Amino acid sequence: MCHDIVIRDGNVVDGTGSEAFQADIAIDGDQITKIGKVDGKGKEEINADGLHVSPGFIDLHTHMDAQISWDPQVTSISWHGVTTALLGNCGVTFAPCKPSDRQYLAAMMETVEDIPREAILNGLPWNWEYYGGYLDALEALGPSVNVAGLVGHCATRFYVMGERAVEEPATEDEIKQIANLAERSVKEGAFGFSTNRLIHHRLPDGRSIPGTFAEPEELNAIAKAIGPHGGIMQTVFGTDGYDLTMEIIADGARNARAALFSTATDLGNERTNAKVMAMLEEGLDVTGITACRSGGFLSGLVNGILPTTPSWMKIRELEFNDRLQRVRDPEFRAKLIDEVKALGDNSPGYVSGRNAFKNIYYLGDAARPTYVSRESLYDMAMKTGEHPIEIWLRITDETNGKALFQVRGFNQDLDAVEELISSDWVSPGLGDGGAHVSQMIDSGWSTFVLSHWHRDHGTYTLPEAVHKITAMPAHVLNLKNRGTLAVGKRADINVFDLDNLEERMPELVHDLPFGAPRFIQRAAGYKATLVNGQVTLRDDELTGNCAGQVLRSN
């Protein structure tokens, strides 16, 4: 018998958590048709001898809502084995949307997620009003990965309440309308509803986004409306009270099918674990997702994240080559140093006083970035007698301006991160692909889980690591035909060389509409990625095949 594709002699890690086994995998159309010894030839054969074969990875936290329209290859996540991406997190989506509100939603996404407004308004077709129409538009775009979506609180609340949605409580009738609109969205294909209680996510005028201060009664009504249709509630932790947010998450799980929430070591591992374990003992379906390393921004001469003293602000206005020239000018460099030194140790503000550099780490000059360094710029300066900003400038000069530094904002304690991601209810991820595009890039989270937390550090066994990024997120979305390798399931598959698997150094490129910048991050060690039975990546390079499907919850 001839098959479309046969993956030969791979070490199969099937996603269930079971031990790996040697086998061939036959694929016909978009399905796996045999696992074991395959006698028939394939029209295409992939030699996986000495390599591992796993299900495609599922990214539960992206903001590819806009990027997918001008980048159907869905980079950078598609370089890292992701075959299914969940859009619409954090309460911010482009549907539902009245024609008169398009500018508003685009401006909101720009300030919250650092996605240029012009790119949003000109890149998307905007030929929808309700969520089902938005999914139809995504389908017409033909992405290279499978796409699932959540409907956001901001868009839903603004659709019903208009300007009052920002700061005012919803009336009883408005709550009913919001819940009905959320229900309609799930019935039209959304996998659930996302809400955001983080006050720092703001509109262009500085106010917190709609839904930030919504009362629990509003969220409970929404959960009850979407629950019968299999919808989940996704929550971003806020600063309005730990216990209140945890109760909102629990109520979401009680009233909807399941709850998904973003967590971090900063919340306190012990108390969060105790809260979630109580929910699980109650029989609730609750999953936390967290960054699998320290989360934060990138600082370098290539982007705009620099100190804000007068001389540094002058550099911000320059192009890269001129920035480098000024940094190398002895007189101007002395001004840069003196202005930061004058701030003292504890001056507030971004990269200001000396102590701010305790959370800034050099990513190194190798092909693979160093995300697990224990030596900050502050620590380096204590050894050399320099000021940390002198270290920053010296390394920048020595690397011809290419140096990047990680500014760790949350999950700063790597030991606490290891403890958190070891919890049974936590899925490592939170890559935020498609968001904060000129400030950060964590799209390589899946590669990091396998290369660092399994291979280099041994926190996970390989079956555990693969399960955490395949079957576990598939369960959250109730994807019955993805997440594990079995006959009859969709052929979303990765073939990778574990010994050589790693992320590459982030790069700033200007490939967004109108030449806007974004960070990208490539990977090494991926022999092949298949989406719905088609090879979308071969030897770390995308093939151009756009085999993804828009997944609908019903």
Side-chain angles (χ1 to χ4, degrees):
M1 177 181 180
C2 182
H3 301 281
D4 289 336
I5 298 176
V6 176
I7 301 172
R8 293 281 182 195
D9 300 319
N11 195 35
V12 177
V13 191
D14 65 9
T16 64
S18 300
E19 290 301 314
F21 57 92
Q22 203 77 12
D24 304 330
I25 297 180
I27 299 158
D28 292 284
D30 63 359
Q31 291 189 350
I32 297 171
T33 52
K34 187 171 184 179
I35 300 177
K37 178 62 176 175
V38 176
D39 295 324
K41 287 286 185 180
K43 296 174 185 175
E44 179 176 354
E45 298 250 341
I46 298 174
N47 181 8
D49 185 22
L51 307 177
H52 291 84
V53 183
S54 76
F57 309 143
I58 299 175
D59 193 335
L60 286 177
H61 198 104
T62 82
H63 291 281
M64 293 292 183
D65 310 57
Q67 182 181 324
I68 204 168
S69 67
W70 60 76
D71 177 26
Q73 295 298 312
V74 200
T75 55
S76 297
I77 60 173
S78 52
W79 282 314
H80 295 273
V82 170
T83 57
T84 299
L86 180 64
L87 282 56
N89 287 276
C90 302
V92 285
T93 57
F94 298 125
C97 179
K98 298 173 184 175
S100 58
D101 296 338
R102 293 168 184 169
Q103 287 275 355
Y104 179 90
L105 293 187
M108 177 181 65
M109 190 70 83
E110 179 179 55
T111 56
V112 173
E113 303 296 352
D114 183 38
I115 303 169
R117 186 182 323 188
E118 293 83 2
I120 295 169
L121 289 171
N122 292 280
L124 292 168
W126 292 103
N127 56 352
W128 63 82
E129 181 167 346
Y130 297 103
Y131 200 83
Y134 172 69
L135 293 180
D136 291 342
L138 292 186
E139 207 160 55
L141 294 171
S144 68
V145 303
N146 302 309
V147 173
L150 301 170
V151 62
H153 202 171
C154 298
T156 307
R157 204 172 203 262
F158 197 83
Y159 188 96
V160 171
M161 298 176 64
E163 181 62 29
R164 291 184 53 253
V166 180
E167 294 178 314
E168 296 186 31
T171 65
E172 184 177 343
D173 180 64
E174 286 168 338
I175 289 175
K176 184 180 295 184
Q177 291 182 57
I178 292 168
N180 288 343
L181 192 53
E183 179 184 26
R184 173 176 179 161
S185 298
V186 171
K187 289 171 73 174
E188 290 178 350
F191 278 75
F193 186 89
S194 66
T195 189
N196 187 337
R197 304 190 72 80
L198 187 62
I199 62 173
H200 303 298
H201 281 167
R202 300 185 185 276
L203 297 167
D205 62 11
R207 293 178 297 168
S208 297
I209 58 177
T212 303
F213 308 108
E215 296 293 337
E217 291 78 12
E218 180 178 333
L219 295 166
N220 289 340
I222 293 165
K224 289 176 182 177
I226 68 173
H229 309 286
I232 68 171
M233 292 290 286
Q234 187 261 342
T235 304
V236 175
F237 230 97
T239 51
D240 58 350
Y242 175 87
D243 290 333
L244 173 62
T245 305
M246 289 304 298
E247 192 56 34
I248 286 172
I249 292 166
D251 281 342
R254 292 184 186 108
N255 296 315
R257 180 180 61 78
L260 173 67
F261 74 100
S262 302
T263 188
T265 61
D266 311 62
L267 299 174
N269 287 354
E270 186 174 347
R271 70 170 181 169
T272 304
N273 186 65
K275 290 280 190 182
V276 175
M277 291 307 295
M279 296 179 201
L280 297 176
E281 289 170 8
E282 188 183 330
L284 305 180
D285 193 337
V286 180
T287 301
I289 184 170
T290 194
C292 57
R293 56 183 182 236
S294 296
F297 299 100
L298 294 178
S299 169
L301 207 62
V302 296
N303 61 347
I305 302 175
L306 300 165
T308 55
T309 63
S311 294
W312 284 96
M313 290 302 289
K314 288 181 181 178
I315 284 187
R316 280 174 176 255
E317 300 171 0
L318 304 176
E319 296 297 326
F320 172 78
N321 288 334
D322 293 328
R323 289 183 180 188
L324 184 57
Q325 183 179 353
R326 299 309 299 271
V327 162
R328 286 175 165 170
D329 176 80
E331 184 177 344
F332 193 80
R333 186 160 167 168
K335 286 183 180 180
L336 295 174
I337 294 169
D338 289 343
E339 288 178 2
V340 175
K341 281 184 176 181
L343 296 171
D345 286 346
N346 297 303
S347 177
Y350 183 79
V351 189
S352 50
R354 182 192 298 264
N355 288 335
F357 291 86
K358 290 180 178 179
N359 295 323
I360 302 179
Y361 296 77
Y362 179 39
L363 288 184
D365 59 0
R368 181 188 185 187
T370 304
Y371 288 110
V372 293
S373 172
R374 303 279 179 160
E375 186 176 59
S376 68
L377 294 193
Y378 180 92
D379 299 325
M380 294 169 68
M382 291 303 98
K383 290 181 179 180
T384 64
E386 299 169 275
H387 188 283
I389 198 62
E390 293 177 287
I391 301 277
W392 194 99
L393 286 165
R394 176 167 54 78
I395 294 175
T396 296
D397 188 356
E398 292 170 351
T399 59
N400 294 315
K402 295 179 180 179
L404 290 173
F405 304 86
Q406 184 189 30
V407 185
R408 298 180 183 174
F410 65 95
N411 278 8
Q412 293 179 13
D413 184 336
L414 296 176
D415 294 330
V417 172
E418 181 178 16
E419 178 185 57
L420 182 58
I421 65 170
S422 298
S423 302
D424 289 342
W425 51 271
V426 173
S427 180
L430 207 63
D432 243 6
H436 311 295
V437 291
S438 66
Q439 303 169 3
M440 59 183 286
I441 179 74
D442 289 321
S443 294
W445 63 271
S446 51
T447 302
F448 188 82
V449 167
L450 293 171
S451 61
H452 176 74
W453 291 119
H454 162 60
R455 184 192 64 208
D456 299 344
H457 204 68
T459 302
Y460 295 137
T461 65
L462 183 58
E464 288 171 342
V466 170
H467 173 78
K468 284 271 192 177
I469 61 179
T470 58
M472 188 172 181
H475 166 80
V476 172
L477 298 179
N478 199 30
L479 299 177
K480 301 295 187 184
N481 58 357
R482 291 180 166 85
T484 57
L485 298 179
V487 171
K489 293 206 171 187
R490 296 298 174 89
D492 294 348
I493 299 174
N494 282 315
V495 182
F496 57 91
D497 177 359
L498 182 61
D499 291 341
N500 294 298
L501 196 68
E502 61 185 39
E503 294 163 284
R504 291 306 192 200
M505 190 67 71
E507 306 169 58
L508 192 75
V509 299
H510 291 76
D511 65 352
L512 293 183
F514 305 100
R518 68 167 177 140
F519 277 108
I520 62 171
Q521 185 170 45
R522 295 179 178 270
Y526 288 96
K527 175 71 173 179
T529 297
L530 286 76
V531 177
N532 295 310
Q534 295 188 42
V535 179
T536 57
L537 179 142
R538 185 181 289 109
D539 295 326
D540 301 321
E541 295 294 334
L542 296 170
T543 64
N545 285 340
C546 288
Q549 298 177 354
V550 173
L551 309 180
R552 300 179 192 245
S553 58
N554 294 293

